[in-house]
PDB file of all heavy atoms in Angstrom:
ATOM      1  N   SER T  32     -11.706 -53.391  26.324  1.00 68.00           N
ATOM      2  CA  SER T  32     -12.960 -53.546  27.058  1.00 68.00           C
ATOM      3  C   SER T  32     -13.108 -52.421  28.073  1.00 68.00           C
ATOM      4  O   SER T  32     -12.145 -51.724  28.404  1.00 68.00           O
ATOM      5  CB  SER T  32     -12.994 -54.907  27.765  1.00 68.00           C
ATOM      6  OG  SER T  32     -11.917 -55.021  28.679  1.00 68.00           O
ATOM      7  N   ASP T  33     -14.294 -52.272  28.576  1.00 67.00           N
ATOM      8  CA  ASP T  33     -14.621 -51.255  29.596  1.00 67.00           C
ATOM      9  C   ASP T  33     -14.204 -49.848  29.158  1.00 67.00           C
ATOM     10  O   ASP T  33     -13.567 -49.109  29.905  1.00 67.00           O
ATOM     11  CB  ASP T  33     -13.958 -51.600  30.936  1.00 67.00           C
ATOM     12  CG  ASP T  33     -14.561 -52.841  31.566  1.00 67.00           C
ATOM     13  OD1 ASP T  33     -15.717 -53.161  31.239  1.00 67.00           O
ATOM     14  OD2 ASP T  33     -13.868 -53.492  32.373  1.00 67.00           O
ATOM     15  N   ILE T  34     -14.556 -49.496  27.924  1.00 68.00           N
ATOM     16  CA  ILE T  34     -14.293 -48.129  27.459  1.00 68.00           C
ATOM     17  C   ILE T  34     -15.351 -47.222  28.075  1.00 68.00           C
ATOM     18  O   ILE T  34     -16.534 -47.301  27.740  1.00 68.00           O
ATOM     19  CB  ILE T  34     -14.338 -48.044  25.921  1.00 68.00           C
ATOM     20  CG1 ILE T  34     -13.320 -49.016  25.318  1.00 68.00           C
ATOM     21  CG2 ILE T  34     -14.056 -46.630  25.454  1.00 68.00           C
ATOM     22  CD1 ILE T  34     -13.373 -49.090  23.807  1.00 68.00           C
ATOM     23  N   ASP T  35     -14.889 -46.355  28.970  1.00 72.00           N
ATOM     24  CA  ASP T  35     -15.810 -45.547  29.774  1.00 72.00           C
ATOM     25  C   ASP T  35     -16.149 -44.249  29.051  1.00 72.00           C
ATOM     26  O   ASP T  35     -15.939 -43.149  29.575  1.00 72.00           O
ATOM     27  CB  ASP T  35     -15.166 -45.265  31.132  1.00 72.00           C
ATOM     28  CG  ASP T  35     -16.200 -44.956  32.207  1.00 72.00           C
ATOM     29  OD1 ASP T  35     -17.401 -45.034  31.899  1.00 72.00           O
ATOM     30  OD2 ASP T  35     -15.799 -44.635  33.335  1.00 72.00           O
ATOM     31  N   VAL T  36     -16.683 -44.353  27.861  1.00 71.00           N
ATOM     32  CA  VAL T  36     -16.903 -43.179  27.034  1.00 71.00           C
ATOM     33  C   VAL T  36     -17.986 -42.259  27.590  1.00 71.00           C
ATOM     34  O   VAL T  36     -17.920 -41.033  27.460  1.00 71.00           O
ATOM     35  CB  VAL T  36     -17.251 -43.605  25.585  1.00 71.00           C
ATOM     36  CG1 VAL T  36     -18.573 -44.353  25.543  1.00 71.00           C
ATOM     37  CG2 VAL T  36     -17.286 -42.381  24.667  1.00 71.00           C
ATOM     38  N   PHE T  37     -18.984 -42.833  28.265  1.00 71.00           N
ATOM     39  CA  PHE T  37     -20.081 -42.018  28.773  1.00 71.00           C
ATOM     40  C   PHE T  37     -19.685 -41.216  30.023  1.00 71.00           C
ATOM     41  O   PHE T  37     -20.378 -40.268  30.398  1.00 71.00           O
ATOM     42  CB  PHE T  37     -21.298 -42.908  29.087  1.00 71.00           C
ATOM     43  CG  PHE T  37     -21.829 -43.624  27.890  1.00 71.00           C
ATOM     44  CD1 PHE T  37     -21.659 -44.997  27.752  1.00 71.00           C
ATOM     45  CD2 PHE T  37     -22.492 -42.940  26.881  1.00 71.00           C
ATOM     46  CE1 PHE T  37     -22.139 -45.670  26.649  1.00 71.00           C
ATOM     47  CE2 PHE T  37     -22.973 -43.598  25.770  1.00 71.00           C
ATOM     48  CZ  PHE T  37     -22.792 -44.977  25.648  1.00 71.00           C
ATOM     49  N   ALA T  38     -18.601 -41.639  30.670  1.00 75.00           N
ATOM     50  CA  ALA T  38     -18.162 -40.937  31.884  1.00 75.00           C
ATOM     51  C   ALA T  38     -17.058 -39.928  31.597  1.00 75.00           C
ATOM     52  O   ALA T  38     -16.560 -39.288  32.524  1.00 75.00           O
ATOM     53  CB  ALA T  38     -17.679 -41.948  32.923  1.00 75.00           C
ATOM     54  N   ILE T  39     -16.687 -39.781  30.316  1.00 77.00           N
ATOM     55  CA  ILE T  39     -15.598 -38.859  29.983  1.00 77.00           C
ATOM     56  C   ILE T  39     -15.882 -37.424  30.417  1.00 77.00           C
ATOM     57  O   ILE T  39     -15.024 -36.764  31.012  1.00 77.00           O
ATOM     58  CB  ILE T  39     -15.280 -38.932  28.474  1.00 77.00           C
ATOM     59  CG1 ILE T  39     -14.581 -40.260  28.157  1.00 77.00           C
ATOM     60  CG2 ILE T  39     -14.396 -37.757  28.048  1.00 77.00           C
ATOM     61  CD1 ILE T  39     -14.292 -40.456  26.680  1.00 77.00           C
ATOM     62  N   PRO T  40     -17.079 -36.860  30.159  1.00 83.00           N
ATOM     63  CA  PRO T  40     -17.329 -35.470  30.593  1.00 83.00           C
ATOM     64  C   PRO T  40     -17.180 -35.286  32.104  1.00 83.00           C
ATOM     65  O   PRO T  40     -16.576 -34.305  32.558  1.00 83.00           O
ATOM     66  CB  PRO T  40     -18.770 -35.222  30.130  1.00 83.00           C
ATOM     67  CG  PRO T  40     -18.974 -36.167  28.996  1.00 83.00           C
ATOM     68  CD  PRO T  40     -18.213 -37.395  29.378  1.00 83.00           C
ATOM     69  N   ALA T  41     -17.711 -36.249  32.897  1.00 84.00           N
ATOM     70  CA  ALA T  41     -17.631 -36.121  34.351  1.00 84.00           C
ATOM     71  C   ALA T  41     -16.187 -36.196  34.829  1.00 84.00           C
ATOM     72  O   ALA T  41     -15.759 -35.422  35.690  1.00 84.00           O
ATOM     73  CB  ALA T  41     -18.468 -37.210  35.016  1.00 84.00           C
ATOM     74  N   LYS T  42     -15.414 -37.120  34.263  1.00 84.00           N
ATOM     75  CA  LYS T  42     -14.017 -37.260  34.689  1.00 84.00           C
ATOM     76  C   LYS T  42     -13.158 -36.109  34.184  1.00 84.00           C
ATOM     77  O   LYS T  42     -12.189 -35.720  34.839  1.00 84.00           O
ATOM     78  CB  LYS T  42     -13.465 -38.603  34.205  1.00 84.00           C
ATOM     79  CG  LYS T  42     -14.133 -39.782  34.891  1.00 84.00           C
ATOM     80  CD  LYS T  42     -13.524 -41.109  34.496  1.00 84.00           C
ATOM     81  CE  LYS T  42     -14.180 -42.253  35.282  1.00 84.00           C
ATOM     82  NZ  LYS T  42     -13.614 -43.574  34.931  1.00 84.00           N
ATOM     83  N   SER T  43     -13.518 -35.549  33.035  1.00 86.00           N
ATOM     84  CA  SER T  43     -12.807 -34.371  32.542  1.00 86.00           C
ATOM     85  C   SER T  43     -13.058 -33.174  33.458  1.00 86.00           C
ATOM     86  O   SER T  43     -12.126 -32.422  33.790  1.00 86.00           O
ATOM     87  CB  SER T  43     -13.252 -34.054  31.112  1.00 86.00           C
ATOM     88  OG  SER T  43     -12.628 -32.876  30.646  1.00 86.00           O
ATOM     89  N   ASN T  44     -14.320 -33.019  33.886  1.00 88.00           N
ATOM     90  CA  ASN T  44     -14.637 -31.932  34.825  1.00 88.00           C
ATOM     91  C   ASN T  44     -13.916 -32.130  36.159  1.00 88.00           C
ATOM     92  O   ASN T  44     -13.496 -31.156  36.794  1.00 88.00           O
ATOM     93  CB  ASN T  44     -16.149 -31.869  35.054  1.00 88.00           C
ATOM     94  CG  ASN T  44     -16.905 -31.363  33.840  1.00 88.00           C
ATOM     95  OD1 ASN T  44     -16.351 -30.627  33.023  1.00 88.00           O
ATOM     96  ND2 ASN T  44     -18.165 -31.758  33.708  1.00 88.00           N
ATOM     97  N   LEU T  45     -13.770 -33.382  36.583  1.00 87.00           N
ATOM     98  CA  LEU T  45     -13.058 -33.669  37.819  1.00 87.00           C
ATOM     99  C   LEU T  45     -11.592 -33.259  37.710  1.00 87.00           C
ATOM    100  O   LEU T  45     -11.034 -32.639  38.629  1.00 87.00           O
ATOM    101  CB  LEU T  45     -13.169 -35.153  38.165  1.00 87.00           C
ATOM    102  CG  LEU T  45     -12.375 -35.634  39.386  1.00 87.00           C
ATOM    103  CD1 LEU T  45     -12.791 -34.874  40.636  1.00 87.00           C
ATOM    104  CD2 LEU T  45     -12.549 -37.140  39.577  1.00 87.00           C
ATOM    105  N   ALA T  46     -10.976 -33.579  36.589  1.00 90.00           N
ATOM    106  CA  ALA T  46      -9.568 -33.198  36.398  1.00 90.00           C
ATOM    107  C   ALA T  46      -9.415 -31.682  36.373  1.00 90.00           C
ATOM    108  O   ALA T  46      -8.471 -31.128  36.963  1.00 90.00           O
ATOM    109  CB  ALA T  46      -9.042 -33.809  35.102  1.00 90.00           C
ATOM    110  N   ASN T  47     -10.349 -31.009  35.695  1.00 91.00           N
ATOM    111  CA  ASN T  47     -10.277 -29.539  35.641  1.00 91.00           C
ATOM    112  C   ASN T  47     -10.487 -28.909  37.018  1.00 91.00           C
ATOM    113  O   ASN T  47      -9.801 -27.935  37.375  1.00 91.00           O
ATOM    114  CB  ASN T  47     -11.328 -29.011  34.669  1.00 91.00           C
ATOM    115  CG  ASN T  47     -11.021 -29.356  33.226  1.00 91.00           C
ATOM    116  OD1 ASN T  47      -9.856 -29.537  32.863  1.00 91.00           O
ATOM    117  ND2 ASN T  47     -12.047 -29.449  32.394  1.00 91.00           N
ATOM    118  N   SER T  48     -11.422 -29.447  37.794  1.00 91.00           N
ATOM    119  CA  SER T  48     -11.677 -28.886  39.127  1.00 91.00           C
ATOM    120  C   SER T  48     -10.482 -29.103  40.051  1.00 91.00           C
ATOM    121  O   SER T  48     -10.158 -28.239  40.871  1.00 91.00           O
ATOM    122  CB  SER T  48     -12.941 -29.503  39.732  1.00 91.00           C
ATOM    123  OG  SER T  48     -12.781 -30.895  39.926  1.00 91.00           O
ATOM    124  N   ARG T  49      -9.805 -30.234  39.907  1.00 91.00           N
ATOM    125  CA  ARG T  49      -8.609 -30.468  40.723  1.00 91.00           C
ATOM    126  C   ARG T  49      -7.484 -29.515  40.327  1.00 91.00           C
ATOM    127  O   ARG T  49      -6.737 -29.036  41.185  1.00 91.00           O
ATOM    128  CB  ARG T  49      -8.159 -31.925  40.567  1.00 91.00           C
ATOM    129  CG  ARG T  49      -9.036 -32.921  41.336  1.00 91.00           C
ATOM    130  CD  ARG T  49      -8.659 -34.350  41.046  1.00 91.00           C
ATOM    131  NE  ARG T  49      -9.406 -35.275  41.912  1.00 91.00           N
ATOM    132  CZ  ARG T  49      -9.425 -36.591  41.754  1.00 91.00           C
ATOM    133  NH1 ARG T  49      -8.721 -37.150  40.749  1.00 91.00           N
ATOM    134  NH2 ARG T  49     -10.116 -37.362  42.578  1.00 91.00           N
ATOM    135  N   THR T  50      -7.379 -29.253  39.024  1.00 93.00           N
ATOM    136  CA  THR T  50      -6.380 -28.284  38.562  1.00 93.00           C
ATOM    137  C   THR T  50      -6.682 -26.892  39.106  1.00 93.00           C
ATOM    138  O   THR T  50      -5.784 -26.174  39.579  1.00 93.00           O
ATOM    139  CB  THR T  50      -6.348 -28.246  37.032  1.00 93.00           C
ATOM    140  OG1 THR T  50      -6.024 -29.551  36.527  1.00 93.00           O
ATOM    141  CG2 THR T  50      -5.306 -27.252  36.534  1.00 93.00           C
TER     142      THR T  50
END
Side-chain angles (χ1 to χ4, degrees):
S32 60
D33 292 337
I34 302 175
D35 204 4
V36 65
F37 299 109
I39 288 177
K42 293 184 177 180
S43 177
N44 289 334
L45 175 58
N47 291 333
S48 63
R49 285 174 173 170
T50 301

